[in-house]
Amino acid sequence: MTRGTPEPLTASETTAPPSQTGPATAGPTPAASSDLDPAFLRMAAVLLLALLMALLDETIVNVGLTTLGGQFDSPLATVQWVTAGYLLAVAAATPFAGWAVDRFGGRTMWLTAVLLFVLGSALSGSAWSIQSLIAFRVLQGIGGGMIVPVVQSVLATTAGPSRVAKAMALISLPLTLGPILGPVLGGVLVDTVSWRWMFLINLPIGLVAVLLALRTLPADRYAGRPDKRLDVLGLLLLSPGFAALVYGLTTAAHSGDAASPRVIVSFAGGALLLAGYAVHALRTRVEPLIDLRMFTARGFTMAVVTMFFVGAVANSLLLLTPLYYQQSRGFGALHAGLLLIPSGILGAAGAITSGKTADRVTARLTSTIGMLVTAAGALAFSQIGSGTNTAWLSVALALTGYGIGLTAPGTMAFMYRAVGEARAPRATSALFIVNQIGGALGIAVIAIVLQTRLDGTDGHPAAAYGGSYWVIIAFSVVAALAALLLPGSFRAEAPPQQAGTDESAVPESTPV
């Protein structure tokens, strides 16, 4: 792309040879077969090790907040910034990741992100005050915010259209297991070793991943792309706008009040910044961080909407279910975390199912069924009482995990096919941003609904929790409807030979 007005996404652009528009990492050459070859699997294993590490850290600290408050003699309102600061850093770094992969290459950016994350982990583990810990968690979040979109982009573009569904199934394994295993691992480390090991455990894992990557990941196809100029104004609008929305939603979740001045100011500021980005992105003479013209394709838009509500469902379940077990049933944090494991295991099984059926059925079928299965599992929780059998609830929670696992890989694969290989890095940033906002929205809505239902009651009655699951059911049904609106049939056709030639491809259009 030249430095003039951004050209429309034409079929020729999305089907150019890899040397011109291919992924930033030269991985195993995509074969006509949809099977994942050993070379690709070795590369994926190294990339996903870092992805799992980053995802664990999004939730590993949750069970240690009380311990950190006592250690540093700080109120919970301050200690919560150990988590909030990390998430805001992730939000700020994500928009940068897509451009960075285009500009510097996937291997280079993966190594950079992992090293930043490991450095932030080492500093967090040696923190001497709550303020230093929050600052180091921000550094860690910058690395973590780049790891997820970089890994998704590199694997999707390396796999190619015929194998992208199975590549997304691999990615869904850590995406499903990481947030669930985080609180369990955090509880074990805090109880048996020290709170510092919630962060220091990343050092050996990260260093092993880097050493393996130096041997396993192929070199980037190019040493740099000077033509890929950074959209600086877009970054200054998009990153703070995204972070402001996440902050507003997080604040609403903690306070239970969506009408508080801080929440309103955050929402208003975020909305203005994102509106400013929309105007800028459609007029800039530099390639925007996220090309809004991608949203004119129904396939891309419906895939993103589906993943928005998948994020809302997954994060709502991770907030509400442990709270029910702890506050209504009196279980400890570690016990409540262990009860989430069936959801993670079945989530992985759902992702594997999605990958294995990708040659026969499309995401329009698997994602619709997946979110209906999730709604069915949440429906069982809507009927809970103070003595509901935990084995039965484990089955219901496993159903929700299976449904989410069945949904995510095919939906992400559909999105990549919709935009074509050339736009995969930037599409990944857009998808991750929307998914994160969906997750923050889900947590905020559930927190407010639960607090409203608990107000004026004695203790933590199970009925208040059960009624709150109707929000998750509603999110799941909306996600199923969005998946049903994905273009195409339910039956899979032959692997596409050219990206951007079906009805889901980004149409040619002139930017405003």
Side-chain angles (χ1 to χ4, degrees):
M1 178 168 290
T2 63
R3 295 188 179 184
T5 303
E7 297 98 348
L9 307 185
T10 62
S12 62
E13 183 175 346
T14 58
T15 58
S19 61
Q20 298 176 29
T21 61
T25 294
T29 303
S33 168
S34 63
D35 293 333
L36 299 177
D37 56 86
F40 183 91
L41 291 174
R42 285 193 297 271
M43 180 187 73
V46 176
L47 293 173
L48 296 180
L49 179 60
L51 179 59
L52 177 62
M53 181 177 62
L55 291 168
L56 283 171
D57 261 69
E58 289 192 5
T59 56
I60 196 171
V61 181
N62 291 355
V63 296
L65 293 179
T66 302
T67 300
L68 292 174
Q71 177 71 30
F72 294 114
D73 193 22
S74 299
L76 183 60
T78 301
V79 175
Q80 284 175 343
W81 278 97
V82 174
T83 298
Y86 180 89
L87 294 177
L88 290 177
V90 168
T94 298
F96 174 80
W99 171 83
V101 170
D102 276 345
R103 174 64 176 81
F104 300 106
R107 183 179 190 264
T108 299
M109 287 313 303
W110 184 89
L111 289 169
T112 301
V114 171
L115 289 173
L116 271 177
F117 185 86
V118 171
L119 175 61
S121 299
L123 292 172
S124 296
S126 60
W128 56 88
S129 67
I130 192 65
Q131 292 79 12
S132 65
L133 178 56
I134 292 170
F136 296 146
R137 281 281 283 175
V138 169
L139 177 62
Q140 190 187 37
I142 293 173
M146 291 191 291
I147 287 175
V148 179
V150 167
V151 169
Q152 286 182 328
S153 173
V154 170
L155 287 186
T157 51
T158 303
S162 65
R163 306 190 297 178
V164 68
K166 292 185 177 180
M168 292 304 101
L170 290 178
I171 288 177
S172 293
L173 298 179
L175 286 174
T176 303
L177 291 170
I180 290 173
L181 294 179
V184 178
L185 181 59
V188 171
L189 292 173
V190 169
D191 289 346
T192 62
V193 190
S194 164
W195 65 266
R196 296 185 184 276
W197 277 95
M198 291 191 296
F199 311 109
L200 296 179
I201 193 173
N202 293 322
L203 272 63
I205 298 174
L207 293 177
V208 167
V210 169
L211 292 175
L212 290 174
L214 293 175
R215 294 176 55 88
T216 307
L217 299 188
D220 293 323
R221 286 180 178 171
Y222 37 78
R225 293 283 297 274
D227 60 309
K228 293 292 183 181
R229 296 169 55 200
L230 176 62
D231 179 11
V232 177
L233 179 57
L235 184 65
L236 293 176
L237 292 169
L238 186 58
S239 288
F242 177 29
L245 283 185
V246 172
Y247 174 75
L249 291 167
T250 303
T251 303
H254 287 318
S255 65
D257 181 11
S260 70
R262 279 198 302 171
V263 173
I264 292 174
V265 169
S266 297
F267 282 161
L272 285 174
L273 287 168
L274 293 181
Y277 174 79
V279 174
H280 164 76
L282 293 172
R283 297 179 180 275
T284 181
R285 303 178 70 85
V286 178
E287 186 176 6
L289 293 171
I290 294 176
D291 192 343
L292 299 183
R293 292 170 297 160
M294 292 188 294
F295 287 93
T296 63
R298 180 160 65 97
F300 177 80
T301 301
M302 287 299 102
V304 169
V305 170
T306 301
M307 290 305 296
F308 173 87
F309 284 102
V310 168
V313 169
N315 284 273
S316 299
L317 284 167
L318 284 174
L319 171 71
L320 188 58
T321 307
L323 278 177
Y324 161 70
Y325 282 136
Q326 292 178 75
Q327 297 186 345
S328 183
R329 303 297 293 272
F331 297 158
L334 181 57
H335 189 180
L338 291 172
L339 288 171
L340 297 179
I341 290 179
S343 175
I345 294 173
L346 266 291
I352 293 171
T353 301
S354 178
K356 286 185 175 296
T357 59
D359 293 336
R360 300 189 296 275
V361 295
T362 66
R364 192 178 178 208
L365 179 64
T366 54
S367 298
T368 302
I369 292 175
M371 293 318 297
L372 291 178
V373 169
T374 300
L379 182 62
F381 270 87
S382 71
Q383 308 303 311
I384 53 178
S386 58
T388 305
N389 185 279
T390 55
W392 163 243
L393 292 180
S394 294
V395 172
L397 190 61
L399 276 179
T400 66
Y402 184 83
I404 293 170
L406 187 63
T407 300
T411 305
M412 291 190 292
F414 194 100
M415 181 206 72
Y416 288 119
R417 286 173 177 155
V419 300
E421 185 179 352
R423 286 296 184 272
R426 314 231 174 181
T428 298
S429 291
L431 178 68
F432 190 63
I433 286 173
V434 171
N435 183 255
Q436 289 286 95
I437 293 176
L441 175 66
I443 289 174
V445 171
I446 279 292
I448 292 169
V449 169
L450 178 61
Q451 187 60 53
T452 301
R453 295 181 66 86
L454 288 173
D455 283 346
T457 62
D458 234 356
H460 300 281
Y465 289 88
S468 300
Y469 277 92
W470 284 102
V471 175
I472 298 175
I473 295 170
F475 286 154
S476 301
V477 171
V478 174
L481 292 174
L484 190 61
L485 291 175
L486 291 170
S489 64
F490 295 113
R491 187 182 298 275
E493 299 177 356
Q497 298 301 311
Q498 291 184 335
T501 58
D502 61 14
E503 65 173 305
S504 66
V506 178
E508 297 186 20
S509 59
T510 302
V512 177

